[in-house]
Amino acid sequence: MPLDEETFQLLKDSVQRFVRERLMPAEDHVEEHDEVPAEIVADMKELGLFGLSIPEAYGGIGLSMAQECEVAYELGQTALAFRSVVGTNIGIGSQGILMDGTDAQKAEYLPRIASGDLIVSFALTEPDAGSDPASLKTRGVREGDDYVISGTKRFITNAPRAGAFTLMARTEGPGAGGISAFIVPAGLPGLSLGKADKKMGQRGTKTCDVNLDKVRVPAANIIGGEPGKGFKTAMKVLDRGRLHMSALACGMASRILRESVSYAQQRKQFGQRIGDFQLVQAMLADSQAELLASWSLVQSVARRYDAKPSGAADPEVSMQASCAKLFSTESRASPPAKAPWVATGASRAAARSRLAVRRNGISTVATLLPARPHASLMGTRGRLPSPRG
């Protein structure tokens, strides 16, 4: 059950204050040292940020999707490294267990995930399987009561911090139906991490390869206890993740727009404030309209997500979530796109915003997913049929 409105508003006020008073002042430290301070991580645990989406029965807060989006919007007001620390526990790392896990798996892992004592990462992407996850090559072979897993996962968020991974491996035949989802503890023999990835504009976020060399994982660690269901689990997880990332992008855009307006009111050229020039005013107006449209779309789809049965797949919601992510991260009139032309001081925040374009599916894939329901209208060469038939 989601929080009642009064309780949720208290939480939201606390998050806003935490972002303003604790996280924003630490942005320069993260940029310089490429690390989120341990004392801030401890404060995040105390505030309950690691368990935002996990039900109260497992020690979390149990926000609805719409409420989670509002909190993500606030977290988007500051450096993404802070949100990244809790992001996999809130979303793609935990949700497969929550949606499809057995009662025993939920009881064992979700309380520790909610408290932040266990960081869990989502290991799907591979060197040759990114936008086409059904082609993944990591393989799990059954040996007695275990699966022996070998392969490489790439760009895995929070892998250097993780105590466990929700990991996809091929246990059956080719295609999506051959993929199973495992809970893989990070300390198992044969599991190692690659060098930390060096990224542009994403200081403080941690990603790296995860290498598996004959890692023996109990068959009981298959999420849901049934092999061959992992791809469906991953896709449901990504629906929620795309909405979270869309809300985060709107929060980033809000701060960038605010800083751009402030700069335009102070910066002078040709004897007047640059905000007095109509072209600058037009860019700011476009950005405001795009932000309002993006945020309205995200909120609408989040409410639709909450209306469907919990954990159920809904192709319409999947399509709309992709639309929300595409629109909120790629609009050419959005604040991140316009900010460098108005306020050079907003450029660092604009650079951070590119992360939202890539997370939970790049924009080219997000463009294709909404097109699938209309594929039957396309001719054999990809053209819409003639009005004459």
Side-chain angles (χ1 to χ4, degrees):
M1 291 291 292
L3 293 183
D4 64 84
E5 189 57 38
E6 182 179 357
T7 304
F8 175 66
Q9 190 58 52
L10 290 173
L11 171 66
K12 187 176 171 181
D13 290 345
S14 296
V15 172
Q16 288 175 332
R17 188 164 54 251
F18 183 64
V19 168
R20 183 176 62 252
E21 298 177 1
R22 195 78 175 90
L23 301 186
M24 287 183 176
E27 288 176 352
D28 287 342
H29 175 92
V30 171
E31 191 71 23
E32 181 178 353
H33 298 283
D34 194 23
E35 188 68 61
V36 175
E39 57 270 23
I40 287 183
V41 176
D43 290 343
M44 289 177 168
K45 290 180 180 180
E46 186 175 348
L47 193 56
L49 293 184
F50 285 89
L52 290 176
S53 62
I54 296 174
E56 291 184 78
Y58 298 105
I61 296 177
L63 299 185
S64 67
M65 186 74 254
Q67 290 174 337
E68 182 184 325
C69 283
E70 290 197 48
V71 174
Y73 184 99
E74 300 304 331
L75 293 174
Q77 305 280 329
T78 187
L80 293 183
F82 300 118
R83 200 262 357 161
S84 183
V85 171
V86 303
T88 52
N89 278 35
I90 295 171
I92 56 178
S94 68
Q95 289 302 301
I97 301 172
L98 179 60
M99 292 176 183
D100 291 341
T102 64
D103 290 342
Q105 289 167 348
K106 293 175 184 179
E108 180 177 356
Y109 289 100
L110 290 180
R112 289 187 289 149
I113 294 172
S115 67
D117 292 336
L118 176 68
I119 302 296
V120 60
S121 289
F122 182 72
L124 173 63
T125 300
E126 298 183 1
D128 296 318
S131 298
D132 180 19
S135 67
L136 64 82
K137 296 177 181 177
T138 295
R139 179 164 290 280
V141 178
R142 184 72 182 254
E143 290 188 4
D145 292 333
D146 299 327
Y147 279 87
V148 178
I149 302 178
S150 295
T152 298
K153 298 296 182 177
R154 179 143 295 172
F155 305 134
I156 305 306
T157 301
N158 277 342
R161 302 179 173 118
F165 301 89
T166 54
L167 182 141
M168 308 300 154
R170 186 169 304 285
T171 59
E172 313 297 324
I179 296 172
S180 300
F182 291 85
I183 304 170
V184 180
L188 291 181
L191 190 152
S192 61
L193 303 180
K195 292 183 178 180
D197 299 321
K198 294 183 178 181
K199 300 174 291 297
M200 181 176 66
Q202 305 301 329
R203 303 280 290 173
T205 62
K206 302 300 180 182
T207 64
C208 71
D209 284 4
V210 178
N211 304 307
L212 302 104
D213 182 13
K214 299 179 181 179
V215 177
R216 190 170 289 273
V217 180
N221 282 31
I222 289 182
I223 293 178
E226 185 177 353
K229 303 295 184 182
F231 186 83
K232 291 182 179 179
T233 295
M235 294 304 103
K236 289 189 290 184
V237 166
L238 289 174
D239 284 345
R240 189 175 184 111
R242 285 169 180 145
L243 282 171
H244 180 103
M245 194 58 57
S246 301
L248 191 71
C250 290
M252 287 186 270
S254 175
R255 177 175 176 183
I256 293 168
L257 177 59
R258 188 168 64 249
E259 291 183 353
S260 297
V261 170
S262 176
Y263 186 84
Q265 290 172 334
Q266 300 173 32
R267 172 69 169 167
K268 289 187 176 182
Q269 287 290 285
F270 304 102
Q272 60 181 322
R273 301 179 307 174
I274 63 171
D276 293 330
F277 293 109
Q278 287 185 330
L279 185 57
V280 172
Q281 292 173 4
M283 284 191 281
L284 295 174
D286 285 347
S287 294
Q288 178 65 76
E290 291 287 348
L291 173 56
L292 178 59
S294 296
W295 184 226
S296 297
L297 176 60
V298 172
Q299 290 177 302
S300 175
V301 180
R303 288 191 293 268
R304 170 130 190 184
Y305 183 99
D306 287 332
K308 71 179 181 63
S310 179
D314 184 331
E316 183 69 16
V317 169
S318 297
M319 180 272 289
Q320 291 187 12
S322 291
C323 287
K325 181 178 182 295
L326 176 66
F327 190 79
S328 62
T329 61
E330 284 284 15
S331 174
R332 287 175 292 178
S334 66
K338 296 291 188 183
W341 299 104
V342 178
T344 54
S347 296
R348 188 165 78 180
R352 292 180 191 138
S353 73
R354 300 309 296 168
L355 174 68
V357 176
R358 298 173 178 85
R359 282 280 171 84
N360 296 283
I362 60 174
S363 292
T364 48
V365 173
T367 303
L368 293 175
L369 291 177
R372 286 179 178 172
H374 309 294
S376 60
L377 299 177
M378 304 298 288
T380 57
R381 295 186 180 180
R383 294 191 297 267
L384 286 173
S386 166
R388 300 173 185 170

